[in-house]
Amino acid sequence: MVIHGNNNVMIAMNDNNWQKARLVKSKMIATDVKSLTFQVDEWIKHKAGQHYDIRLTAENGYQAQRSYSIASAPEDFGIVEFGIQLLSEGEVSPYLFTLQEDDEIEIRGPLGQHFVWETSLSGPLILIGGGSGVVPLVSMLRHRYMAGDTRKTIFLISAQSLDHVLYRDELEAYMQNDPNVEIPITLTQQKPMGWLGYERRVDKEMLQETMGDVLSQKPSIYICGPTPFVEACASGLIDLAVDPSLIKTERFGG
Amino acid sequence: MIINKGFSPKHTSEHSLPPGQYETHDFPVLSKGYTPKIDTNNWKIRIHGLVSNPIVLSWNEFNALPSSEITTDIHCVTKWSKFNTVWKGVSLDTLVELVGLQGRATHVLAFTYDDYSTNLPVADILLNKAYIVTEFDQKPLASEHGGPARLLVPHLYLWKSAKWINELKFIDHEELGFWELRGYHRYGDPWKQQRYDSDE
């Protein structure tokens, strides 16, 4: 295996950097969401928040490409993990769900230099994820943990139900083991008996209650999810007088 | 190249798609940050740099310029393409005529209300290749799609069509914009699949 360090410079490979990725682990992590972990020959350390492009080629030569955020931490040497939402009408995700161990696909990356977080950045960390939009944010939280960083971190998650919360066990463990990590969850469609958390879409009041003073401490803010979710969260923060330049967003859907 | 056994096309399109793209009938939104809400009473656009007559136009002054309806296909680097989209706006030819381009101007930088920027060669914004549009589908352009006014350069990937535009600066060299500095291609031709800086 060829290892490339923390420079994020794309290295020269054939076919514009597409390379084989071999599936080494697959696991359902929420309703309709599967974690797929691949081993690659040319592993490049990514920044938390970056994505890869995945390319599938049909027997007749037809190719489809999609972007998927990386779930693994930059410290997860040699592998790349994605959290993939099944879109039943989709073209790529249903096929990815059928992959078996040792199956190969093509990927290229890591890509994107904007929606990224590193422990070298100052200030508290605010992550806001809707549905499978938590994937790049999980990479950030894992990076924080593996780098031994202890800064104040609030990870607000919006999901249809508890079963729709990706990486729930792992997130609960972070919260229990680190007093500086808070992971408030809001459930928008179905709540379990005795649910004490939020049960509505994210709004200004929820942002204020869950983030409070941290909003005035020059936090790095990352919002990822479906477009209406991201719009609601970002405009809620602007209404709370958060400096727009602190907010980075990634939208999907449509 | 790997053949993915059992993978077959699911999306069909009657249109000719650039490589790696799929057709969507929705209008996805992609932006780097929040959506600025801009009051047209305060809206301005500044056109300057290597021009003979730099100008700042208000909303009313801009809308008094001759405009045209444009029907075109758009291609986003995130892989979706949308066909026969209908826009209304002012051709950059009209704006260039107003300010008078100096012979040395080879590139233009577009800036926006959300501190975004993108770079284009001058040749790619003349001869009705680029517009500043204020309507989509016969309605005022929605803020999440760049309203009140965005650049539209449909022959290049859509990140070149800067949302919430408020400045054009003509220069005599290439200077990279926001995404171009962050790993995306300096030119962005969808038919050559110039997505990332490592693409030819």
Side-chain angles (χ1 to χ4, degrees):
Chain A
M1 186 165 75
V2 184
I3 306 302
H4 300 274
N6 191 15
N7 54 14
N8 255 288
V9 173
M10 293 294 291
I11 48 157
M13 287 184 274
N14 292 330
D15 194 16
N16 288 322
N17 306 327
W18 289 102
Q19 64 166 319
K20 280 186 214 172
R22 184 171 62 84
L23 187 68
V24 291
K25 195 174 152 198
S26 92
K27 189 185 169 200
M28 290 300 293
I29 49 165
T31 304
D32 290 338
V33 185
K34 209 169 196 178
S35 150
L36 297 179
T37 303
F38 295 89
Q39 200 165 50
V40 291
D41 288 338
E42 300 262 4
W43 187 77
I44 302 172
K45 186 171 184 171
H46 65 274
K47 291 180 186 168
Q50 285 191 298
H51 69 272
Y52 272 80
D53 278 1
I54 288 181
R55 179 168 80 180
L56 299 177
T57 306
E59 287 175 70
N60 68 359
Y62 170 85
Q63 291 187 326
Q65 296 179 26
R66 297 291 184 277
S67 296
Y68 285 102
S69 291
I70 306 164
S72 42
E75 290 79 7
D76 287 326
F77 185 85
I79 55 110
V80 187
E81 179 192 353
F82 305 106
I84 296 187
Q85 167 92 49
L86 177 67
L87 304 169
S88 50
E89 296 305 308
E91 186 172 50
V92 171
S93 62
Y95 182 81
L96 294 177
F97 264 58
T98 67
L99 290 178
Q100 305 291 314
E101 250 176 59
D102 289 332
D103 282 352
E104 289 181 326
I105 59 167
E106 287 174 304
I107 66 173
R108 70 164 168 168
L111 299 161
Q113 295 284 351
H114 171 61
F115 195 84
V116 292
W117 181 75
E118 293 174 285
T119 52
S120 58
L121 292 170
S122 62
L125 178 60
I126 290 182
L127 310 172
I128 309 175
S132 61
V134 302
V135 170
L137 311 178
V138 165
S139 176
M140 293 177 189
L141 195 62
R142 288 172 165 177
H143 173 47
R144 174 190 177 281
Y145 171 73
M146 289 192 185
D149 191 282
T150 56
R151 82 187 64 206
K152 181 75 184 172
T153 298
I154 298 166
F155 190 173
L156 174 60
I157 293 176
S158 173
Q160 290 175 33
S161 76
L162 266 190
D163 291 337
H164 286 84
V165 178
L166 282 65
Y167 301 103
R168 198 169 106 215
D169 296 345
E170 183 181 338
L171 294 176
E172 269 169 22
Y174 285 128
M175 204 162 49
Q176 274 164 16
N177 297 326
D178 187 337
N180 280 328
V181 174
E182 288 171 34
I183 309 184
I185 294 176
T186 184
L187 303 177
T188 57
Q189 288 187 11
Q190 235 186 338
K191 58 191 169 89
M193 289 282 283
W195 174 249
L196 296 173
Y198 291 104
E199 43 185 291
R200 61 177 198 268
R201 297 192 179 280
V202 175
D203 53 28
K204 191 171 89 174
E205 288 68 34
M206 193 187 298
L207 294 165
Q208 173 66 43
E209 281 170 26
T210 54
M211 294 160 195
D213 289 349
V214 177
L215 290 177
S216 57
Q217 295 164 16
K218 289 202 183 341
S220 298
I221 305 175
Y222 297 84
I223 310 173
C224 184
T227 296
F229 170 83
V230 172
E231 291 295 317
C233 296
S235 60
L237 290 171
I238 301 290
D239 287 348
L240 293 170
V242 171
D243 177 355
S245 70
L246 301 172
I247 303 172
K248 294 186 175 178
T249 63
E250 199 152 86
R251 297 162 170 83
F252 57 75
Chain B
M1 191 169 65
I2 297 174
I3 301 293
N4 298 107
K5 286 226 162 67
F7 173 65
S8 57
K10 200 164 176 180
H11 290 158
T12 51
S13 174
E14 54 179 292
H15 305 284
S16 150
L17 280 161
Q21 296 290 109
Y22 66 91
E23 181 179 6
T24 181
H25 298 280
D26 301 317
F27 196 168
V29 174
L30 293 132
S31 314
K32 70 178 177 69
Y34 75 113
T35 295
K37 301 286 189 288
I38 301 147
D39 182 348
T40 51
N41 288 316
N42 304 323
W43 184 90
K44 280 188 176 62
I45 187 157
R46 177 178 179 215
I47 305 171
H48 67 119
L50 296 174
V51 297
S52 322
N53 176 33
I55 50 169
V56 177
L57 297 172
S58 70
W59 182 250
N60 288 338
E61 288 165 334
F62 179 80
N63 282 284
L65 297 171
S67 65
S68 42
E69 196 178 271
I70 310 113
T71 300
T72 186
D73 308 330
I74 52 177
H75 310 289
C76 178
V77 71
T78 64
K79 324 290 185 313
W80 58 267
S81 292
K82 189 172 170 62
F83 292 91
N84 298 320
T85 57
V86 181
W87 308 79
K88 191 182 157 205
V90 176
S91 169
L92 287 206
D93 295 88
T94 304
L95 297 169
V96 161
E97 207 173 301
L98 270 182
V99 296
L101 215 51
Q102 292 182 18
R104 286 187 297 138
T106 56
H107 291 79
V108 62
L109 279 167
F111 297 97
T112 73
Y113 275 98
D114 68 328
D115 295 324
Y116 177 76
S117 59
T118 192
N119 56 281
L120 295 151
V122 164
D124 284 87
I125 60 138
L126 298 178
L127 304 176
N128 290 325
K129 284 198 194 112
Y131 298 82
I132 289 177
V133 291
T134 52
E135 284 185 17
F136 172 72
D137 241 356
Q138 269 127 32
K139 286 187 275 297
L141 185 59
S143 56
E144 67 266 29
H145 293 305
R150 77 179 293 170
L151 194 60
L152 181 68
V153 195
H155 69 287
L156 300 176
Y157 281 126
L158 207 55
W159 87 77
K160 296 285 185 180
S161 296
K163 294 176 179 179
W164 312 300
I165 190 163
N166 65 359
E167 183 180 342
L168 288 172
K169 183 185 179 187
F170 288 91
I171 53 180
D172 61 3
H173 57 281
E174 185 176 53
E175 226 173 272
L176 300 184
F178 184 87
W179 287 121
E180 294 85 357
L181 285 170
R182 289 167 179 77
Y184 287 81
H185 197 273
R186 58 206 312 130
Y187 184 68
D189 182 345
W191 297 95
K192 295 183 179 160
Q193 213 171 168
Q194 294 172 334
R195 298 179 191 276
Y196 305 110
D197 54 12
S198 57
D199 291 326
E200 278 159 32

